[in-house]
Amino acid sequence: MSIMLEISMVISGAAEEWADFTIITVMLLVNSLLGFFEDMKAKASVNALKAKMVNHVDTVRYGEDGRKTYVPLNPKFLVVGDTIHVRGGDAIPADCSFLEGSEISINTAAMTGESLPVKFNERGPMEIDPSDPTHTKKIHKLVLAGCVVHQSPGTHLRVEKVGANTESGKATLLIAGDSQKQVSAFEEKILNVVMYLIIFTLIDVICVICVQCEIRGKDFWSEIVDCLSLIIASVPVALPMVIQITMALGAANMAEQKAIVTSFPALQDIAAMTVLCSDKTGTLTTADITVEFNDIRTWNGFTKEQVMDAAAVACGESTEDPIDRAVRMSYAKSIKNPAATLSKWKVFKVAGFTPEVKRFVAYAEHPVEGRKKLAKGLLDKILDTGDDGGDLWVCEDLAKIEADVRSVDIEFSKKGYKTVGVAIGEEVNGKWVMKFAGIIPMIDPPRHDTADVIQKLNANGIQVRMITGDHKNIAIETAKRIGLPPNILANTELEYLEQETVSESEDGGEEKVTESTCFNMCDIEAAEAHGENLALSSKATKLILDSGGFAQVMPTDKLVIVKTFRNANGGSITGMTGDGVNDAPALKAANVGIAVKGSTAAAQQAADIILTDDGLMPIHTAVVESRKIYARLKSYVLYRIGATIQIVIVLSTLIFAYDKTIPALYVILLALLNDVTMLTVSYDNARVSPQPVRPTVFGIVATAAVVGSVMAISSIGFYMLGHYGAILDTTFRSNTDAGQAYVAAVMYVQISIGIEMMIFNCREPDDWFWSSAPCASLFWSVVFANLLVIILAATGTIVDTVSWGDIGLIVGYDCAVFLFTDVVKVMTAKLLKEGGWESAMEGERANYAKPGGSPSTNISDSEWNQPELCMSAQGIWSVFGKEVQGWAEERTPASALRCCRPQGRDPSLPHEDQITFPGSGPI
């Protein structure tokens, strides 16, 4: 749009209209400089907060005594030769080579486009050495920076290249000069509308020139100069700048509220979000898991100490896994001489935890116990692993103990305990025979603010659905405590669900068609590649939409649940929280992917918003802030389009009907003052919509057209009152040059004051202007602009002198028009809403009604002792929010966030944290 002003500047310069030329130049410079500095200020705020949330990588360091430790290090401080420790979900911070440890599976899709993970070990893969002139020498292939660890219990890598020397660093340098500004779909729609207005105005200019030159015999060049006012009036040059500044400031405010936005479209999506699928552990609960050692149940003659011994050995090297950490802390407190006892175990092989196998297996040797196979994980996967591609077994005498084991597990789950199964195996005749050893109960209390935040989200039209891998009974009890509906659905209740439906065959008859769910799918990549396989039966879809949450889910289940909410019954704007590599596909599939605090790099790369504080509260503040952003944008866009319509109609009518023109200087001055004062809209007080917003363009354009037309009619009416009546100074009706100049000055003052006041009409697009107060900066900027126009007109500075009597009449007239315009605006909004015009033009929105869950009480994060549950049966669930047509098109997280993994532990730890576990440094 600025090119139109640049063309106008060239024309005015060629015509030697130096006043016009100077003001157009100043207007361009002011808009450019203001936009630049405001945008830079907002980005600096966001970047400062991003710098605080850089994830660290565990780097191997050796003390003076030669003891190996793991030091959390900012990836930018890595140097060639460093040894780093990574596991599933971590991002690779530099180009590295395999050093030692378990085989590692790397997702290289981000760098190479390969859909399947690549496995790295001491044997390869190999590639031709590019430095070898014979092209025969082979070297180990590097694990490239930017890739994500798909699967590994813990592997050591050696840093070979860092920074700009890495492959991703080279690619970043190549594209640095070719980056494009990210434009949201809403902004694109609005700019398209503005372009149509400009095109209409250009056609109008051609008509004006034809009429004035061919019919009225005016000079062509003088008419070109006169038409500058029309061209300038049609260009809302500050519109893109105000949109960008508003969104940048909103992103900065959200960052201060602990929510980092990685793409501007996410600001709009979260404002329109109607369903939030939330992970339980660490989001709805504290993730401060505690083992109840005294309540451990054992079988097959094992003791509690043996069960804890096996569980402690079967922990990965990372200090970040909450269950491993809970086991280690409990072991340190419950076992005598824990360090000496545990150091006797020498681990020689591990099969790490993955989202698919849900267990950790350690092969270890003990000087007394001998060689053992120790396993810890999900109870179902410990009793009978099934054919899941991992280390497989069925516990000995399972049929005899299974009923008792599951009865105990259900008993624990009804009390709100998370459970971990432990199995111990011996090698018999070359085969491992596994015996079930016991169940370790753990408690993960809800966060103190979870219930309150859920109620607030419900009040804002957002349904919260819990998604957890825990047992169904645990999910039900947690749901009751935090105010979610207790009708939790386990993934096994949908597995292999089929139903027969009747459809019309090609020959006109009826045929039965069997629909199947895909909850039995276990390959995420295959599910993504074959999207049609993710289609659920209508019965399964209904179960998902009607359930209050989901338990015992696998990664594919999360993906299917998110896609069901996005697509079923017209679709909903769906949010998804997650923290692990297993959550990444669902985060990417959601409209709003939200990586919670402490999430893995894989989750952060797939997310649109990254939280830097615990719980759901940052999500609620992000919802509120994003709706404020949309309200500001909507009011400004409504105002800017309405003002453009008014000016173009008024100027065209005066030329066609009365052969009167307003100098381009006046229109330029009007636009300059208007753009400067309207920048404060970015800081305006905005009312938060109680329901998810619907960013449709039709309603905005329709209301703007009505408001702009009313204002245009009022300006034309004022001219007619002065032209045919006697209410204005007699100079207004004079046909002399002085009369022409007086008419232009009077109309300039009337249009300028009216347009400045119109922003207060547009601040509340659907309600009366007094419904909310503007911010002080907006109010006083409008007052200042109007006083300045009045002073210029009264003193004859820049514009021709206007009598004080006419100025008073103009102010009174514009105030009356302001009130009338507000009435018309409210009536238009009511007509559009009740008449269903938006739905007819933009499509219906999905609308679900659902019974609520139980009201809940606030719980202290630090005072959870007993899992006894007390709650009333009164429901609080609100009506399901409204669907908005999807916006997010390109969802690429900022590359700066592609670091490695969550912040390491604080060095000032109690003595139990200094225990060295088999194969690892101190935790």
Side-chain angles (χ1 to χ4, degrees):
M1 288 184 286
S2 60
I3 194 171
M4 296 295 294
L5 288 183
E6 292 165 2
I7 292 172
S8 300
M9 182 177 66
V10 171
I11 294 174
S12 59
E16 297 185 356
E17 296 287 341
W18 300 117
D20 294 355
F21 177 86
T22 302
I23 294 184
I24 293 175
T25 303
V26 170
M27 186 164 62
L28 284 169
L29 289 174
V30 167
N31 277 285
S32 299
L33 292 174
L34 285 175
F36 174 77
F37 286 117
E38 290 288 350
D39 197 38
M40 289 300 294
K41 184 171 68 174
K43 287 181 179 179
S45 177
V46 174
N47 290 335
L49 281 155
K50 282 183 180 180
K52 294 180 182 179
M53 59 165 287
V54 171
N55 293 319
H56 290 60
V57 60
D58 280 349
T59 309
V60 175
R61 292 290 184 264
Y62 293 91
E64 294 181 357
D65 57 356
R67 186 183 179 190
K68 181 174 70 173
T69 59
Y70 291 90
V71 178
L73 191 68
N74 189 317
K76 70 180 182 180
F77 296 125
L78 288 174
V79 297
V80 174
D82 273 339
T83 299
I84 62 174
H85 177 264
V86 295
R87 56 180 266 167
D90 293 346
I92 305 299
D95 287 357
C96 303
S97 60
F98 184 91
L99 185 62
E100 62 181 1
S102 302
E103 181 178 72
I104 186 171
S105 179
I106 300 292
N107 184 345
T108 64
M111 293 300 298
T112 67
E114 296 181 34
S115 59
L116 297 177
V118 178
K119 293 182 178 180
F120 290 79
N121 51 43
E122 64 276 2
R123 298 182 302 276
M126 309 294 288
E127 64 180 357
I128 300 295
D129 185 355
S131 63
D132 179 25
T134 64
H135 299 290
T136 56
K137 181 182 177 181
K138 291 188 176 182
I139 58 174
H140 279 82
K141 193 173 184 179
L142 295 182
V143 183
L144 301 180
C147 296
V148 177
V149 180
H150 178 72
Q151 180 179 336
S152 171
T155 304
H156 290 94
L157 303 177
R158 183 183 186 277
V159 176
E160 303 291 350
K161 297 178 182 179
V162 296
N165 294 322
T166 64
E167 293 300 317
S168 61
K170 294 175 183 177
T172 302
L173 291 176
L174 288 174
I175 66 175
D178 193 34
S179 58
Q180 295 182 351
K181 183 183 289 185
Q182 200 171 24
V183 178
S184 67
F186 176 71
E187 181 181 354
E188 186 176 355
K189 291 178 182 179
I190 293 300
L191 294 180
N192 285 338
V193 172
V194 172
M195 289 307 299
Y196 286 127
L197 284 175
I198 293 175
I199 292 171
F200 171 80
T201 303
L202 291 176
I203 295 173
D204 185 42
V205 166
I206 294 173
C207 294
V208 166
I209 292 174
C210 291
V211 169
Q212 293 293 86
C213 295
E214 297 297 326
I215 298 177
R216 293 174 177 165
K218 298 290 184 72
D219 178 67
F220 173 79
W221 189 250
S222 64
E223 288 307 309
I224 286 289
V225 174
D226 289 340
C227 285
L228 283 177
S229 58
L230 274 173
I231 296 174
I232 295 167
S234 70
V235 182
V237 67
L239 178 61
M241 179 181 64
V242 172
I243 291 177
Q244 288 296 319
I245 291 175
T246 302
M247 296 181 77
L249 290 174
N253 291 336
M254 287 176 65
E256 292 174 0
Q257 299 297 325
K258 312 300 183 183
I260 305 295
V261 178
T262 63
S263 64
F264 276 170
L267 288 172
Q268 299 168 355
D269 281 338
I270 198 168
M273 184 171 67
T274 56
V275 177
L276 175 64
C277 298
S278 176
D279 186 39
K280 181 178 77 69
T281 304
T283 305
L284 301 177
T285 62
T286 63
D288 187 13
I289 301 174
T290 303
V291 172
E292 300 291 335
F293 178 80
N294 294 328
D295 293 330
I296 293 176
R297 297 290 295 273
T298 62
W299 282 264
N300 292 316
F302 292 101
T303 65
K304 295 179 182 178
E305 288 75 13
Q306 287 177 308
V307 171
M308 281 300 299
D309 212 25
V313 176
C315 287
E317 291 190 352
S318 173
T319 63
E320 300 299 331
D321 184 87
I323 291 180
D324 284 359
R325 172 168 166 74
V327 169
R328 292 175 176 183
M329 295 293 290
S330 177
Y331 186 87
K333 293 177 181 178
S334 307
I335 304 298
K336 294 181 179 179
N337 299 320
T341 303
L342 201 59
S343 64
K344 295 178 181 180
W345 289 98
K346 303 300 180 184
V347 177
F348 58 87
K349 181 183 176 182
V350 296
F353 181 94
T354 70
E356 289 76 27
V357 303
K358 290 187 178 289
R359 60 185 177 276
F360 192 103
V361 182
Y363 294 80
E365 189 169 359
H366 191 275
V368 177
E369 301 291 337
R371 291 163 65 91
K372 296 288 184 180
K373 180 179 177 179
L374 310 173
K376 170 181 82 359
L378 185 69
L379 183 63
D380 288 341
K381 293 293 187 178
I382 294 297
L383 292 172
D384 182 355
T385 64
D387 187 11
D388 57 11
D391 200 329
L392 309 181
W393 70 80
V394 177
C395 284
E396 188 179 46
D397 297 327
L398 177 60
K400 295 180 181 179
I401 65 171
E402 184 173 16
D404 185 37
V405 171
R406 295 195 180 280
S407 175
V408 171
D409 185 49
I410 291 173
E411 179 186 342
F412 278 136
S413 65
K414 286 183 177 179
K415 294 179 181 180
Y417 284 116
K418 178 194 291 284
T419 57
V420 171
V422 177
I424 301 175
E426 295 182 345
E427 197 170 14
V428 180
N429 298 326
K431 294 184 179 181
W432 290 99
V433 178
M434 301 295 289
K435 291 185 178 181
F436 186 73
I439 295 178
I440 300 176
M442 303 177 175
I443 202 72
D444 182 16
R447 294 183 54 80
H448 71 279
D449 60 348
T450 297
D452 180 54
V453 177
I454 288 175
Q455 291 186 31
K456 290 179 178 178
L457 290 172
N458 292 167
N460 281 282
I462 300 173
Q463 280 197 359
V464 181
R465 305 293 179 92
M466 177 169 57
I467 300 182
T468 178
D470 284 344
H471 192 280
K472 178 179 178 180
N473 289 333
I474 298 175
I476 291 174
E477 298 305 318
T478 303
K480 290 177 180 178
R481 276 194 164 270
I482 60 179
L484 291 178
N487 56 323
I488 304 296
L489 200 66
N491 72 331
T492 53
E493 296 177 65
L494 288 174
E495 205 163 10
Y496 304 112
L497 176 66
E498 296 185 348
Q499 69 170 4
E500 289 187 335
T501 59
V502 177
S503 64
E504 187 174 336
S505 61
E506 292 182 0
D507 57 4
E510 290 184 346
E511 61 178 2
K512 291 185 176 180
V513 178
T514 300
E515 299 176 345
S516 301
T517 177
C518 75
F519 266 65
N520 56 329
M521 295 180 63
C522 61
D523 189 284
I524 297 174
E525 286 80 9
E528 281 288 328
H530 302 87
E532 66 275 6
N533 292 335
L534 289 173
L536 293 173
S537 66
S538 56
K539 185 175 181 181
T541 299
K542 187 176 187 303
L543 283 173
I544 290 176
L545 297 179
D546 290 344
S547 68
F550 310 90
Q552 300 165 226
V553 297
M554 299 293 284
T556 305
D557 303 336
K558 296 181 181 181
L559 185 63
V560 173
I561 291 166
V562 168
K563 288 199 170 185
T564 299
F565 279 120
R566 282 198 62 175
N567 301 324
N569 296 350
S572 302
I573 298 298
T574 304
M576 172 72 193
T577 71
D579 60 355
V581 65
N582 58 315
D583 298 320
L587 291 173
K588 186 177 179 181
N591 297 97
V592 186
I594 304 170
V596 300
K597 182 182 179 182
S599 57
T600 62
Q604 290 185 3
Q605 288 183 12
D608 304 292
I609 296 175
I610 301 174
L611 305 184
T612 59
D613 201 3
D614 297 312
L616 289 178
M617 184 57 76
I619 298 177
H620 175 258
T621 55
V623 168
V624 171
E625 187 61 39
S626 63
R627 292 187 185 180
K628 288 181 180 179
I629 293 169
Y630 176 75
R632 295 184 186 113
L633 288 179
K634 183 178 180 180
S635 63
Y636 178 74
V637 169
L638 172 62
Y639 164 78
R640 189 67 268 175
I641 294 177
T644 301
I645 291 173
Q646 176 196 4
I647 297 173
V648 172
I649 291 177
V650 171
L651 295 181
S652 300
T653 303
L654 290 178
I655 292 173
F656 285 125
Y658 298 99
D659 192 18
K660 301 288 185 180
T661 60
I662 295 179
L665 175 64
Y666 292 0
V667 178
I668 296 169
L669 183 61
L670 186 154
L672 179 61
L673 285 175
N674 194 242
D675 286 345
V676 172
T677 57
M678 289 305 104
L679 286 176
T680 55
V681 170
S682 301
Y683 303 89
D684 189 26
N685 300 325
R687 287 203 300 171
V688 178
S689 170
Q691 292 295 318
V693 302
R694 192 181 188 194
T696 56
V697 174
F698 174 78
I700 296 175
V701 174
T703 306
V706 172
V707 170
S709 298
V710 169
M711 294 294 292
I713 293 172
S714 69
S715 295
I716 296 169
F718 185 80
Y719 174 83
M720 294 176 68
L721 287 174
H723 184 73
Y724 297 110
I727 63 171
L728 294 175
D729 190 283
T730 55
T731 310
F732 190 91
R733 294 180 293 278
S734 172
N735 289 324
T736 63
D737 291 341
Q740 292 273 18
Y742 192 79
V743 168
V746 168
M747 294 307 299
Y748 162 71
V749 174
Q750 191 277 324
I751 294 172
S752 181
I753 294 176
I755 280 183
E756 291 287 347
M757 295 176 64
M758 191 173 71
I759 185 59
F760 299 126
N761 292 123
C762 298
R763 285 188 64 257
E764 290 289 342
D766 305 318
D767 210 341
W768 304 104
F769 74 91
W770 61 78
S771 299
S772 66
C775 69
S777 58
L778 175 62
F779 176 80
W780 289 112
S781 66
V782 171
V783 171
F784 170 78
N786 283 338
L787 288 176
L788 180 62
V789 168
I790 290 172
I791 292 172
L792 292 178
T795 59
T797 305
I798 300 179
V799 299
D800 271 35
T801 304
V802 179
S803 68
W804 279 106
D806 286 353
I807 291 175
L809 186 62
I810 290 171
V811 172
Y813 182 85
D814 281 346
C815 288
V817 171
F818 169 77
L819 297 175
F820 178 73
T821 302
D822 209 58
V823 173
V824 175
K825 176 204 68 179
V826 172
M827 292 176 61
T828 301
K830 186 176 180 181
L831 179 65
L832 289 172
K833 184 177 180 181
E834 294 183 353
W837 288 98
E838 275 195 297
S839 296
M841 299 299 295
E842 303 278 355
E844 292 288 342
R845 296 186 285 188
N847 188 18
Y848 307 110
K850 182 163 177 48
S854 305
S856 49
T857 56
N858 286 349
I859 306 166
S860 172
D861 290 349
S862 59
E863 296 177 358
W864 175 288
N865 294 318
Q866 300 295 329
E868 302 299 330
L869 304 175
C870 300
M871 71 291 296
S872 71
Q874 180 64 39
I876 60 166
W877 202 258
S878 66
V879 177
F880 189 78
K882 301 175 181 179
E883 181 270 337
V884 180
Q885 292 187 344
W887 276 332
E889 297 172 349
E890 296 182 6
R891 310 166 65 83
T892 306
S895 59
L897 298 176
R898 295 186 178 180
C899 303
C900 44
R901 48 192 300 267
Q903 172 73 42
R905 300 282 306 284
D906 190 296
S908 55
L909 298 172
H911 72 279
E912 58 265 21
D913 276 2
Q914 305 305 316
I915 298 171
T916 301
F917 284 80
S920 71
I923 66 171

